[in-house]
Amino acid sequence: MDALDPRFLREFLCVAQEGSIRRASARLNVAPSAISRKITDIEARLAVPLLERSAQGVHLTDAGRLLREHALHQQDEQAFLLDQLGRFGKGEGQKVRIAVGEGFTADLMQNGLSALAATHPDLRFRIDQAGTDALQDRVALGEADIGIAYNPALSEAIRSLAVGRQPLCAIVPTGSALAGRASVRLAELLQHPIGLLDRRHAIRALVGRAAGDQGLALHPQIETSSITLLIRYVCAGMGVTFLPRFSASIQADRGELAIVPVEEASLQQVSAHLMVRARRRLPKSVELAAEFLADRMVAFHD
């Protein structure tokens, strides 16, 4: 259908990503009435609704989700072609968009991107931090080429190119009696002041589930969305927290804190994932970056 031109598909995909015609119009600098009129016209031609409209925004119907997948496929194929032709940007190099959990940032920069950028100076990167669910959504909706997340929920919209088993550990002050231990039980840790990530993070759910299975209650002294803040909390000697080893290894090597394994099976069987959108033909730049990061980052090596 001629009406499904690239411009309309781009606008519809933006509406799907934003969940709002008004927010999509602001992002695209197109009048909201123009976008709404186009969508209504296509719905009439197809004789099926694409959106469910409400005061809170818009939601895709089953037909809308099919159209979104078509728009994503078209976007992916164009990116693949341009990558093959070496025509990304205007002499700015090929851009790889990475969505990453905060706990991976030191590993990503020091062990991954520093060497990748030196080896392939033509590559450019857009890096955004996000919580686990938001990060997966960005990959699934085509807003990020690569997602790096801790213990994400499995989804048919995502495929993992690399997985590394990364148990959740206790991060404790160097002056704590726990610092010299070979391991520690969860019940012991919860007797100390605790700092925890908030519910947007997979780590909070993991700790909460493990505690609940043992009939233990969580009463965090500090809740935050920031892993950096939690590390400073421990370094200041205020209490303990839970993170995978790679998130605090730099501070541990400096002697600023200690990392202790936790004797809890459910906290051992967790992993780091490097993800891309399922059924996507990856541009060479994305494929190269993904393979390089999977090989170099500590998070993807057990």
Side-chain angles (χ1 to χ4, degrees):
M1 179 180 289
D2 291 342
L4 296 181
D5 59 62
R7 181 173 178 178
F8 168 75
L9 291 175
R10 184 170 62 254
E11 292 175 0
F12 181 80
L13 185 56
C14 189
V15 170
Q17 291 168 341
E18 295 290 343
S20 164
I21 290 175
R22 188 165 298 279
R23 287 197 296 271
S25 73
R27 178 170 152 188
L28 296 170
N29 196 28
V30 177
S33 58
I35 295 176
S36 182
R37 199 162 45 243
K38 285 184 186 178
I39 294 174
T40 300
D41 180 54
I42 293 296
E43 287 176 322
R45 296 192 191 196
L46 296 176
V48 291
L50 299 173
L51 301 176
E52 294 176 354
R53 297 163 173 84
S54 71
Q56 287 72 44
V58 297
H59 301 279
L60 298 183
T61 64
D62 288 342
R65 283 188 282 273
L66 283 174
L67 183 56
R68 180 186 66 188
E69 286 303 306
H70 172 71
L72 282 169
H73 177 73
Q74 295 294 101
Q75 176 182 274
D76 290 343
E77 286 301 295
Q78 182 178 9
F80 182 88
L81 176 62
L82 291 175
D83 188 89
Q84 294 293 92
L85 295 174
R87 290 172 49 193
F88 265 106
K90 297 180 179 179
E92 297 177 359
Q94 299 162 325
K95 183 174 289 186
V96 179
R97 302 164 300 164
I98 301 173
V100 60
E102 184 192 358
F104 293 91
T105 53
D107 189 14
L108 172 65
M109 299 307 298
Q110 293 193 7
N111 301 314
L113 284 190
S114 58
L116 177 59
T119 307
H120 298 279
D122 56 311
L123 291 179
R124 297 292 182 269
F125 305 95
R126 168 63 189 253
I127 303 172
D128 293 306
Q129 287 187 6
T132 305
D133 291 343
L135 189 155
Q136 286 183 276
D137 286 344
R138 290 187 186 184
V139 175
L141 293 173
E143 296 178 323
D145 299 306
I146 295 171
I148 301 175
Y150 188 64
N151 208 52
L154 297 178
S155 165
E156 64 179 13
I158 299 289
R159 63 186 173 106
S160 295
L161 298 183
V163 179
R165 191 176 70 86
Q166 294 291 344
L168 202 56
C169 298
I171 312 300
V172 306
T174 54
S176 167
L178 301 174
R181 298 272 295 274
S183 63
V184 62
R185 292 181 295 109
L186 181 60
E188 292 179 86
L189 285 168
L190 295 184
Q191 293 173 9
H192 295 259
I194 296 285
L196 287 177
L197 288 169
D198 61 29
R199 298 182 187 278
R200 287 173 289 181
H201 292 261
I203 288 174
R204 175 58 178 265
L206 285 167
V207 176
R209 218 165 21 241
D213 289 345
Q214 296 185 31
L216 301 171
L218 291 178
H219 299 292
Q221 183 181 44
I222 286 180
E223 293 183 79
T224 178
S225 62
S226 170
I227 288 176
T228 300
L229 189 148
L230 285 182
I231 288 175
R232 300 317 308 170
Y233 171 77
V234 175
C235 290
M238 294 179 64
V240 306
T241 192
F242 298 87
L243 293 172
R245 182 178 295 274
F246 63 83
S247 294
S249 58
I250 292 174
Q251 291 80 8
D253 290 342
R254 294 173 182 161
E256 297 174 358
L257 50 73
I259 302 174
V260 184
V262 182
E263 298 174 22
E264 172 56 47
S266 64
L267 301 185
Q268 301 295 317
Q269 305 304 316
V270 289
S271 51
H273 289 244
L274 189 150
M275 309 172 298
V276 297
R277 197 166 79 84
R279 299 178 295 279
R280 180 187 181 190
R281 186 163 61 149
L282 295 179
K284 289 296 182 182
S285 55
V286 175
E287 186 176 44
L288 170 67
E291 290 177 353
F292 198 98
L293 297 179
D295 181 62
R296 297 296 184 94
M297 287 179 64
V298 173
F300 302 113
H301 297 275
D302 298 352

